[in-house]
Amino acid sequence: MGADAQIPTIDFSAEAASNLLSGSDSDINLRRQVRAALEGGGIFFLRCSESSTQSLVEEMMIGMKSLFDLPEDVKRRYKSTRPYSSYKGRESFMPLHESLGVDDAYLLESAQAFARVFWPEGNPQVSSAMNGINKMLFNLIYAILKVIFESYETGNRHESFAEKTVTSFRLLKYNLPPSGEAVGLGPHTDKCLLTILCQNDVQGLEILSRDGIWSPLVIPQGCFVVLIGESLQVWSNGRMRAARHKVMISGDRERYSCGLFILPKKDVIIEVPDELVDDDHPLLYKPYSFTDYLNYFMGNPKDDALETFAGV
């Protein structure tokens, strides 16, 4: 990847995702494409061809604008016990960034309860948009997880593994800098298993290549971004690498994005399957509690936190 990152695009319909989650196997070519992308750079663009997809994204972006346009004191009503999920806005170290996270928004009652925090009488437009896009992203991201397990011939472990996970839907706004270009969200790798992101048409996401070059991404119309997190990096014994990324903001329009994250449940142990350890791939990580690692990282937010905490 150079100045203009060459990210693979993989076609993956919502219908195919539903079929996979109903028990069917993915085709060999799809497994090959997904594995090659995630071992190569930890990222790919996912193209979902259904005509309803763009409508769901547009409705969510309208809902996000109405949410983030609320007064600061109203937004700060939202509190969550999950790290990084309570409302965060315009902190001194990230003055352009606002975010919050919602658990299980693929359930309508969860989306409605979230909306009532800000609009006590409810907001059907926001809750419906959030629920609709979450149901679609939920199917897509869990189908991708299944394809990954099949690609490493550990498909028999997928169902029990998936039962130990939860989802968090995050909404993000990047305000305009006073002038020029500025950091909207600093360099980081996701700590989760998998992330799937969508955005309005304002670009800004950048990816760090393995040779240390930051490359701006131009996300194609109608595509989502799929990223590996550190938890799957560990599970794969380092075959897949969590993609280091950041957001840069410039221009005259605010950036809105949202994403679904698969996370291990509290205190779930992340460990490398025996099948992924051999003479060519010696064990790189010892088993660890996801909760313990997240707590460690929050107190030690360093680039090498994972290796320090869990490296062999």
Side-chain angles (χ1 to χ4, degrees), residues 9-13 15-17 19-20 24-38 44-47 140 143-148 150-151:
T9 299
I10 300 175
D11 290 318
F12 205 124
S13 70
E15 180 181 358
N19 291 338
L20 270 174
S24 64
D25 292 333
S26 59
D27 65 71
I28 293 173
N29 186 52
L30 180 59
R31 295 180 210 167
R32 178 188 61 77
Q33 290 181 74
V34 169
R35 179 167 169 176
L38 297 180
F44 65 87
F45 297 143
L46 184 151
R47 187 184 302 281
L140 286 170
I144 294 165
L145 185 67
K146 187 173 188 289
V147 168
I148 290 170
E150 289 175 355
S151 76

Side-chain angles (χ1 to χ4, degrees), residues 21-286:
L21 293 175
S22 298
S24 64
D25 292 333
S26 59
D27 65 71
I28 293 173
N29 186 52
L30 180 59
R31 295 180 210 167
R32 178 188 61 77
Q33 290 181 74
V34 169
R35 179 167 169 176
L38 297 180
E39 288 187 351
I43 181 173
F44 65 87
F45 297 143
L46 184 151
R47 187 184 302 281
C48 190
S49 58
E50 279 77 7
S51 58
S52 60
T53 298
Q54 191 59 34
S55 294
L56 287 171
V57 173
E58 289 172 358
E59 289 169 8
M60 189 67 245
M61 296 302 151
I62 292 170
M64 288 175 63
K65 186 177 189 312
S66 67
L67 172 62
F68 284 113
D69 281 350
L70 290 170
E72 192 78 6
D73 63 316
V74 175
K75 290 182 284 190
R76 292 197 179 276
R77 291 177 191 166
Y78 187 72
K79 307 289 184 184
S80 173
T81 57
R82 188 180 298 282
Y84 307 111
S85 290
S86 296
Y87 173 75
K88 298 290 184 184
R90 298 177 179 268
E91 306 285 348
S92 59
F93 58 95
M94 283 193 301
L96 306 180
H97 176 264
E98 296 181 66
S99 70
L100 45 80
V102 190
D103 295 341
D104 301 327
Y106 63 92
L107 301 172
L108 181 57
E109 56 267 32
S110 296
Q112 291 172 333
F114 170 81
R116 285 195 295 271
V117 173
F118 309 96
W119 298 276
E121 71 284 2
N123 188 320
Q125 181 184 25
V126 170
S127 56
S128 176
M130 181 181 297
N131 179 240
I133 198 167
N134 264 268
K135 287 192 290 188
M136 178 187 64
L137 295 178
F138 182 94
N139 283 341
L140 286 170
I141 199 169
Y142 274 102
I144 294 165
L145 185 67
K146 187 173 188 289
V147 168
I148 290 170
F149 272 62
E150 289 175 355
S151 76
Y152 288 108
E153 299 183 355
T154 58
N156 60 318
R157 295 172 179 261
H158 167 263
E159 191 169 329
S160 61
F161 189 93
E163 289 173 353
K164 299 176 183 178
T165 64
V166 293
T167 63
S168 179
F169 183 62
R170 296 195 67 195
L171 301 91
L172 305 105
K173 177 185 178 183
Y174 299 95
N175 296 283
L176 297 177
S179 62
E181 184 180 54
V183 176
L185 184 61
H188 66 286
T189 52
D190 294 342
K191 310 308 170 195
C192 62
L193 294 156
L194 268 175
T195 304
I196 184 167
L197 300 171
C198 57
Q199 62 173 47
N200 63 354
D201 59 357
V202 178
Q203 304 289 348
L205 188 63
E206 298 192 6
I207 195 85
L208 184 67
S209 69
R210 290 197 175 191
D211 55 3
I213 298 173
W214 283 105
S215 301
L217 302 187
V218 178
I219 301 167
Q221 179 78 12
C223 284
F224 303 116
V225 180
V226 177
L227 295 158
I228 279 291
E230 288 184 358
S231 296
L232 266 189
Q233 175 178 314
V234 169
W235 177 87
S236 72
N237 199 25
R239 288 170 171 81
M240 295 182 286
R241 301 292 297 180
R244 191 164 181 79
H245 53 288
K246 64 180 179 180
V247 177
M248 300 298 295
I249 300 299
S250 61
D252 57 3
R253 295 181 58 219
E254 296 156 330
R255 173 181 165 85
Y256 292 89
S257 67
C258 57
L260 190 67
F261 297 72
I262 301 181
L263 304 159
K265 289 181 179 177
K266 185 178 180 180
D267 296 323
V268 162
I269 301 300
I270 304 297
E271 58 185 331
V272 179
D274 292 340
E275 299 96 312
L276 300 185
V277 180
D278 54 36
D279 290 342
D280 294 327
H281 302 90
L283 184 68
L284 297 180
Y285 302 100
K286 59 191 176 186

